[in-house]
Amino acid sequence: MENKNPGKLYLCATPIGNLEDITFRVLDTLKNVDLIAAEDTRHSIKLLNHFEIKTPMTSYHEFNKIEKAKYLVEQMQAGTNVALVTDAGTPGISDPGEELVKLCLEAGIQVTSLPGPAACITALTMSGLPTRRFCFEGFLPIDKKERGQAAKRLENEVRTTVIYEAPHRLVRTLEFLEDVLGERKIVFCKELTKKHENRMEMTCTQALAYYKENEPRGEYVLVIQGVDPKALIQEAQEAWKQMSVTEHVNMYMDQGMSKKDAMKAAAADRGAGKREIYQALLEEAEADGGEGRYG
């Protein structure tokens, strides 16, 4: 691969288990770039040796990502073509590759991504859960405040959600998910693309009981069923019905809405027509002995 000034960053997706999943384009790129930046050189050398790739490697991981990214950018500015690989899958997804991409783009260095394996997509497509709309949360945060924010997102998430988890944290994560999701369905995928590929479908409670008895082994991809949108709407409507129609409309008017818009918003919340809302307002006002704000 001919050097240009500046060089270029190639994000190279590598197999998540089965070496045959690597693409011809990735192999050609790894052979012809000037330098390969690897998350773990000890791991990646096995891949390079298998395909007889002799390109020099350097480490680029979570603990050196700031300083090493600066070094790599300098190398590319001087004309070096760099390929970035993670331990498995597509660089930049739940790994420090995101930082390097950002710095390259800020420095005017061209970045291209060579598509290939990604554990999140592999698990999603074999989960049996809806795939039309989904979200990816990566590893759930450890920080208590951030974990609470994640709980709020997951609790009312109607899309299928994909997360990653390490074996030593799986039970603790399941305890958290049981509190948040209740009996929501989860598909557990591990050893993806390998000989002993495994898919298990359980509720949170079932999974927690299972993994308390059976020690988790290997890296997990969890595909979580989204909440039923109809159930969410019904729950919200029931909550609104705890308020009188007058209180409901007043709430929106107190936020600065016009009477017309407040009535429209309350009608949408309650799954009612605007005429129903207007009639209820009149009846409630009459019951209170006057027309109030709605005459």
Side-chain angles (χ1 to χ4, degrees):
M1 190 170 294
E2 182 182 353
N3 272 351
K4 295 181 180 180
N5 193 10
K8 188 173 178 179
L9 177 65
Y10 297 84
L11 306 177
C12 295
T14 53
I16 59 176
N18 191 322
L19 291 180
E20 294 181 3
D21 289 336
I22 200 164
T23 69
F24 290 121
R25 186 180 173 209
V26 167
L27 286 176
D28 183 65
T29 299
L30 293 178
K31 288 176 181 178
N32 290 288
V33 292
D34 303 300
L35 182 65
I36 297 173
E39 186 176 9
D40 185 339
T41 55
R42 296 166 301 178
H43 179 88
S44 295
I45 193 63
K46 299 174 185 176
L47 175 72
L48 300 190
N49 286 342
H50 182 82
F51 290 106
E52 300 181 349
I53 297 171
K54 306 299 182 181
T55 307
M57 272 197 302
T58 187
S59 65
Y60 175 73
H61 48 70
E62 184 64 30
F63 303 104
N64 72 354
K65 65 181 181 181
I66 303 299
E67 290 304 314
K68 197 57 171 284
K70 293 177 182 177
Y71 165 79
L72 291 171
V73 167
E74 289 173 357
Q75 293 298 303
M76 284 180 273
Q77 286 175 324
T80 301
N81 286 307
V82 176
L84 178 67
V85 296
T86 182
D87 285 350
T90 301
I93 300 179
S94 289
D95 71 39
E98 180 181 6
E99 185 70 27
L100 181 56
V101 170
K102 179 182 176 182
L103 289 180
C104 282
L105 294 175
E106 289 175 352
I109 293 169
Q110 187 178 353
V111 178
T112 188
S113 182
L114 283 61
C120 55
I121 298 300
T122 303
L124 174 68
T125 53
M126 65 182 280
S127 69
L129 295 177
T131 59
R132 189 177 70 85
R133 298 176 67 236
F134 65 92
C135 60
F136 176 64
E137 285 283 338
F139 289 92
L140 292 178
I142 299 175
D143 178 80
K144 188 175 181 181
K145 182 179 179 181
E146 292 180 0
R147 207 169 176 84
Q149 293 170 344
K152 291 180 181 178
R153 291 195 300 271
L154 291 171
E155 185 177 12
N156 296 320
E157 181 56 74
V158 298
R159 297 169 295 178
T160 301
T161 301
V162 183
I163 66 172
Y164 291 159
E165 194 50 276
H168 66 280
R169 296 200 317 176
L170 183 64
V171 170
R172 185 173 65 172
T173 293
L174 287 174
E175 290 172 340
F176 165 74
L177 291 176
E178 185 183 37
D179 288 339
V180 175
L181 306 178
E183 289 302 289
R184 201 93 61 81
K185 185 190 300 182
I186 302 179
V187 176
F188 294 78
C189 299
K190 66 174 184 172
E191 301 296 309
L192 290 170
T193 76
K194 299 178 183 178
K195 182 178 180 180
H196 299 292
E197 179 177 87
N198 183 268
R199 174 194 179 281
M200 295 177 65
E201 184 178 307
M202 296 177 279
T203 65
C204 291
T205 302
Q206 290 170 338
L208 189 56
Y210 177 84
Y211 284 111
K212 281 184 174 179
E213 293 294 324
N214 299 273
E215 182 183 0
R217 295 180 182 277
E219 302 295 319
Y220 288 81
V221 183
L222 279 59
V223 187
I224 304 169
Q225 180 183 42
V227 67
D228 183 352
K230 293 180 180 178
L232 206 58
I233 292 170
Q234 184 176 4
E235 182 181 330
Q237 289 176 352
E238 290 301 320
W240 288 122
K241 288 176 183 177
Q242 301 303 312
M243 302 172 68
S244 70
V245 175
T246 301
E247 290 171 335
H248 198 160
V249 174
N250 281 346
M251 178 190 74
Y252 284 121
M253 290 181 69
D254 291 340
Q255 292 173 14
M257 281 191 182
S258 66
K259 180 171 70 175
K260 181 180 179 181
D261 288 343
M263 291 170 61
K264 186 176 180 180
D269 289 342
R270 302 169 88 92
K274 287 186 288 185
R275 288 186 179 181
E276 292 178 67
I277 296 297
Y278 183 67
Q279 185 60 39
L281 290 172
L282 293 179
E283 290 174 359
E284 290 177 11
E286 185 177 347
D288 287 340
E291 293 183 338
R293 300 164 77 174
Y294 310 104

